[in-house]
């Protein structure tokens, strides 16, 4: 069992900067949890507090029901893998992987067994005699992983471990890491600012901004039911479109603005009771906007007449950068779509997929 609980954890650095504010979440046993957010949001600080490399200003961290606030990093039974791998350049791969076990006075034959086993799992058993500088980036990454695996820790902590790899290798290692985690039944906390990495690997995502947790949920959850404008705009590429509209009542409830008229589906109407005649933010993802001609059921409730700014064909799909009376919008449409910059273009919106946000609090209405 390895469960990690953060209870109202705060970090105020000595210079007074409040980097993490009331962080509350649980990493369940065998769970792959990703801390996701833009640069500087407090992800690494949070991870380092779990590792014991950073003091906790307020709150508690428990590992397996035991408060570890004052437990030394070496006694927490965790292994951390860093972005820069932190390998010892003068040692062989074998010695790099064995180093932590030697420090712990593990018997020699036990070290040998664990290093060879981890090397085999990672496919680096033929590299054990090499020095780090004789390895590729991906191989170094595996050695850093191997060094964590041989420790057989309760919890693995990863700080952007794939960010130094090229795009192709990153995609490959992403899948390998996830498989490895399942095979080892490891409990993992993984820091990244890459939302695709988070979505593809995580059982649970903790989204942070400016030191504050914005939402905790599965990939499906944070994509489909974002808690606020920050999460809605951070998850998904290209990001969700946000348009300023007014909620009006006229034979049903509508979102209206100059050139915009969208009918709110019946099942959402009651949620807008307190917003009639008020301004809100209407959200729709690029993938939920269609060429009118390819959308079944296109009618006056869901069609927008836009102006095409730029057409970006990507092969499997085409991105259209559109404007409606000065408000910008991106649509991800079928490559069969014929649209030209400078021309009018009618799109249909999938009303089942629309979002609405309170303009003041930026929290989701739906
Ligand atoms: P990145 O993805 O860029 O690593 P991050 O989300 O991991 O970002 P942290 O490294 O946790 O962010 O830093 C959070 C904030 O705390 C940043 O604004 C950073 O400048 C600040 N910070 C980090 N270390 C210290 C320190 N020792 N003293 C003061 N402020 C710090």
């Amino acid at each position: 069992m390895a469960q990690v609980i953060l209870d109202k954890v705060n970090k105020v650095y000595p210079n007074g900067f409040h980097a993490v504010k009331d962080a509350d979440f649980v990493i369940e046993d065998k769970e792959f949890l990703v801390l996701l957010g833009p640069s500087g949001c407090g992800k690494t600080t949070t991870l380092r507090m779990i590792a014991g490399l950073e003091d906790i200003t307020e709150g508690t961290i428990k590992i397996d029901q035991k408060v570890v606030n004052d437990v030394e990093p070496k006694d927490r039974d965790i292994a951390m893998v860093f972005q820069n791998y932190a390998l010892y350049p003068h040692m062989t791969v074998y010695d790099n992987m064995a180093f932590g076990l030697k420090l712990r006075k593990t018997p020699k034959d036990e070290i040998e067994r664990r290093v060879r086993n981890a090397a085999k799992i990672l496919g680096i058993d033929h590299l054990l005699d090499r020095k780090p500088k004789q390895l590729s980036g991906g191989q170094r990454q595996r050695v850093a992983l191997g060094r964590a695996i041989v420790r057989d820790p309760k919890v693995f902590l990863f700080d952007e471990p794939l960010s130094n790899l090229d795009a192709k290798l990153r995609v490959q290692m992403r899948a390998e890491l996830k498989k490895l985690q399942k095979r080892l039944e490891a409990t993992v906390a993984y820091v990244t600012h890459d939302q695709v990495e988070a979505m593809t690997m995580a059982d649970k995502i903790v989204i942070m901004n400016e030191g504050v947790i914005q939402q905790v949920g599965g990939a499906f959850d944070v994509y489909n039911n974002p808690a606020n404008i920050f999460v809605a705009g951070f998850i998904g590429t290209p990001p969700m479109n946000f348009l300023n509209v007014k909620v009006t009542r006229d034979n049903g409830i509508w979102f209206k603005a100059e050139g915009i008229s969208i009918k709110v589906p019946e099942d959402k109407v009651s949620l807008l009771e307190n917003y009639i005649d008020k301004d809100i933010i209407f959200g729709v993802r690029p993938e939920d906007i269609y060429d009118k001609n390819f959308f079944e059921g296109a009618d006056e409730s869901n069609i927008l007449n836009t102006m095409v700014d730029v057409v970006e064909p990507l092969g499997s799909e085409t991105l259209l950068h559109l404007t409606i009376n000065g408000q910008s919008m991106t649509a991800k449409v079928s490559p069969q779509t014929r649209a030209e910059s400078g021309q009018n273009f009618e799109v249909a919106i999938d009303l089942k997929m629309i979002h609405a946000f309170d303009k003041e609090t930026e929290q989701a209405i739906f």
Side-chain angles (χ1 to χ4, degrees):
M1 264 294 283
Q3 185 198 45
V4 182
I5 301 175
L6 278 77
D7 186 10
K8 296 227 168 359
V9 170
N10 282 268
K11 176 67 187 182
V12 182
Y13 279 110
N15 67 357
F17 186 75
H18 199 160
V20 177
K21 300 169 188 165
D22 283 339
D24 259 333
F25 61 87
V26 179
I27 313 169
E28 300 292 353
D29 185 41
K30 304 187 183 63
E31 186 168 60
F32 198 119
L33 177 136
V34 174
L35 284 164
L36 173 69
S39 182
C41 72
K43 312 178 290 287
T44 298
T45 304
T46 304
L47 201 71
R48 289 174 59 85
M49 286 193 285
I50 299 172
L53 300 170
E54 209 64 75
D55 289 339
I56 299 161
T57 311
E58 222 175 88
T60 49
I61 297 184
K62 285 186 196 165
I63 301 178
D64 271 355
Q65 306 300 327
K66 185 176 159 222
V67 176
V68 294
N69 286 37
D70 299 318
V71 175
E72 289 288 310
K74 68 175 174 46
D75 299 326
R76 290 194 187 194
D77 202 2
I78 47 157
M80 189 147 168
V81 179
F82 298 92
Q83 183 175 355
N84 59 8
Y85 317 143
L87 300 178
Y88 299 107
H90 60 285
M91 287 186 197
T92 62
V93 167
Y94 183 96
D95 288 335
N96 263 286
M97 285 170 67
F99 188 70
L101 298 178
K102 278 186 189 157
L103 281 186
R104 283 172 177 74
K105 309 247 183 307
T106 310
K108 215 169 163 193
D109 50 347
E110 173 70 9
I111 293 179
E112 167 115 17
R113 195 184 61 75
R114 289 209 206 176
V115 170
R116 297 213 176 268
N117 185 38
K120 201 161 160 216
I121 289 174
L122 294 163
I124 51 172
D125 31 0
H126 59 299
L127 303 172
L128 288 172
D129 296 330
R130 294 213 197 156
K131 300 269 176 70
K133 68 169 186 300
Q134 298 166 310
L135 301 175
S136 71
Q139 290 167 336
R140 274 181 219 161
Q141 172 60 59
R142 279 168 223 260
V143 178
L145 273 174
R147 200 169 47 181
I149 290 171
V150 296
R151 298 253 322 271
D152 192 22
K154 273 200 184 130
V155 185
F156 288 87
L157 304 178
F158 292 101
D159 192 1
E160 309 234 10
L162 306 184
S163 59
N164 285 336
L165 305 178
D166 67 48
K168 204 169 154 202
L169 192 53
R170 208 156 57 217
V171 172
Q172 185 193 334
M173 283 300 290
R174 202 157 78 193
E176 282 188 30
L177 250 182
K178 181 73 194 176
K179 265 193 250 167
L180 188 65
Q181 180 254 344
K182 286 269 170 265
R183 175 168 174 189
L184 299 176
E185 302 195 320
T187 305
V188 169
Y190 185 106
V191 160
T192 182
H193 62 268
D194 180 338
Q195 50 116 358
V196 177
E197 215 167 278
M199 300 284 278
T200 51
M201 298 174 93
D203 297 316
K204 190 196 278 172
I205 305 177
V206 174
I207 302 174
M208 295 183 75
N209 188 34
E210 295 181 351
V212 179
I213 293 178
Q214 305 290 313
Q215 189 167 0
V216 179
F220 186 83
D221 218 23
V222 295
Y223 176 83
N224 287 299
N225 303 306
N228 56 38
I229 287 183
F230 175 82
V231 175
F234 194 74
I235 300 281
T237 35
M240 185 184 284
N241 297 292
F242 299 112
L243 300 165
N244 287 302
V245 295
K246 193 188 272 298
V247 181
T248 64
R249 197 196 303 263
D250 173 17
N251 218 347
I253 301 292
W254 297 75
F255 291 154
K256 298 254 184 187
E258 199 75 27
I260 298 175
S261 188
I262 294 284
K263 188 158 193 212
V264 177
E266 277 308 315
D267 63 326
K268 300 290 195 307
V269 162
S270 63
L271 300 167
L272 292 164
E273 216 36 64
N274 298 329
Y275 292 93
I276 307 296
D277 293 328
K278 292 198 177 135
D279 292 332
I280 59 139
I281 306 290
F282 158 55
V284 60
R285 293 198 181 276
E287 49 272 40
D288 297 323
I289 305 174
Y290 294 81
D291 177 342
K292 182 191 82 170
N293 299 315
F294 296 142
F295 189 77
E296 213 170 302
D299 62 22
E300 80 284 351
S301 70
N302 55 25
I303 291 178
L304 296 178
N305 190 9
T306 71
M307 173 69 78
V308 181
D309 278 341
V310 180
V311 179
E312 279 185 296
L314 300 177
S316 61
E317 64 219 8
T318 295
L319 292 185
L320 301 178
H321 298 274
L322 309 165
T323 52
I324 310 169
N325 277 73
Q327 301 208 64
S328 315
M329 195 163 88
T330 305
K332 200 190 258 185
V333 295
S334 134
Q336 275 90 44
T337 298
R338 294 286 154 256
E340 274 182 54
S341 117
Q343 291 190 345
N344 282 326
F345 185 76
E346 284 191 311
V347 295
I349 294 192
D350 184 350
L351 298 182
K352 291 193 296 299
M353 306 304 284
I354 63 173
H355 299 265
F357 301 92
D358 186 301
K359 203 170 176 171
E360 313 250 293
T361 64
E362 302 201 343
Q363 297 299 305
I365 303 166
F366 59 78

